[in-house]
Amino acid sequence: MSKKTNKFSADSFGKETAEVPQENTFYFGKQNFKWMLIGFACIVVGFLLMMSPDANTVDGKYDANAWNEGIFSIRRIRIAPLFVVVGFAIEVYAILKKK
């Protein structure tokens, strides 16, 4: 007798099958959520590092005749965008990581 490879065949037509219903499984596991939170934290830190007074602000007040060189600081130009890009890369990893 040959082994059945197809669970639906003409022989079982009209007969009830005792199949157990499959549970819905969620794609993300604990590790995925952990990595997503780490990525989100990196993005938030990056945007917080970008914050500071604008180019025409001195001591918290707008002055059209003043120029604030702080807008070109290494923190705002290099480090903060790096945090944001790394955070987005971690988010992509967290989404694509298998359970």
Side-chain angles (χ1 to χ4, degrees):
M1 206 175 190
S2 66
K3 183 177 177 183
K4 283 187 181 180
T5 57
N6 188 356
K7 66 181 181 177
F8 301 109
S9 67
D11 296 337
S12 64
F13 184 75
K15 297 178 184 173
E16 289 189 31
T17 57
E19 287 188 31
V20 179
Q22 273 189 332
E23 292 182 21
N24 292 336
T25 55
F26 195 62
Y27 181 76
F28 287 166
K30 281 186 175 181
Q31 290 291 321
N32 296 84
F33 284 112
K34 181 184 85 167
W35 282 107
M36 286 184 81
L37 287 175
I38 291 171
F40 182 72
C42 283
I43 293 169
V44 169
V45 166
F47 277 106
L48 289 175
L49 286 173
M50 280 189 232
M51 289 174 37
S52 69
D54 64 358
N56 296 97
T57 304
V58 177
D59 295 328
K61 295 186 181 189
Y62 177 76
D63 183 6
N65 298 322
W67 180 254
N68 183 2
E69 288 292 330
I71 64 168
F72 300 115
S73 70
I74 195 83
R75 177 185 60 121
R76 291 178 77 178
I77 299 296
R78 305 271 184 201
I79 297 171
L82 181 68
F83 267 90
V84 173
V85 170
V86 167
F88 279 117
I90 292 172
E91 291 291 332
V92 169
Y93 171 75
I95 291 170
L96 297 178
K97 183 179 182 317
K98 290 197 185 242
K99 197 169 173 181

